[in-house]
Amino acid sequence: MIEVVAMIKKAIFRGIIPFVIMTSLAIFMRLQGIDIFQVKSTFLVGIIATSIASASVIYEIEKWSLFKQSIIHFIIMLFTVLPCLLFSGWYKLVSILDYLIVLGQFLLVGCFLWSIAYIIFGKLLKKWVLLHGY
């Protein structure tokens, strides 16, 4: 139970930084009279960054396999990032096909970024640590 509380605290700490920064930016933009679409977009980018940063603690749960960590992370992104994309106004969403296109882009970008992170943190960083004795 203590481990769970520690992970939740870590997730909140990681998420609060982008949330505070981007929300503050959005408020200042609004006060300056900047277009509401840009203000909303800035805020939503903050929510997306917050979700990603908070969910990163999942990869520190050593008891879980990489597969389980990845599935849990994907589910969290599905319920946080995807709705932000759908409500953002960044996409034309008139038909079911439009929603499927956004879902496809979400999946493609997610797989690409996961692969890059896996290569960097799972392979290259491990090699570097082994070579340099850290």
Side-chain angles (χ1 to χ4, degrees), residues 32-74:
Q32 292 176 349
I34 293 176
D35 177 58
I36 194 71
F37 180 77
Q38 291 181 3
V39 173
K40 178 183 168 186
S41 293
T42 300
F43 180 73
L44 286 172
V45 167
I47 297 295
I48 291 169
T50 297
S51 300
I52 294 167
S54 295
S56 69
V57 299
I58 288 167
Y59 293 101
E60 295 178 18
I61 303 173
E62 294 177 11
K63 296 176 190 172
W64 289 1
S65 67
L66 179 60
F67 180 76
K68 183 175 182 176
Q69 293 169 337
S70 300
I71 294 297
I72 300 297
H73 187 265
F74 171 74

Side-chain angles (χ1 to χ4, degrees), residues 73-108:
H73 187 265
F74 171 74
I75 291 168
I76 292 169
M77 296 301 102
L78 193 62
F79 287 100
T80 56
V81 174
L82 185 60
C84 286
L85 296 174
L86 295 174
F87 294 120
S88 67
W90 300 334
Y91 301 93
K92 176 190 82 156
L93 297 173
V94 178
S95 68
I96 299 283
L97 181 60
D98 295 333
Y99 285 88
L100 291 174
I101 289 170
V102 174
L103 177 62
Q105 290 177 349
F106 167 79
L107 293 172
L108 284 173

Side-chain angles (χ1 to χ4, degrees), residues 15 30 42 72 109 122 126 132:
R30 185 68 181 134
T42 300
I72 300 297
V109 170
K126 250 185 208 171
H132 293 86

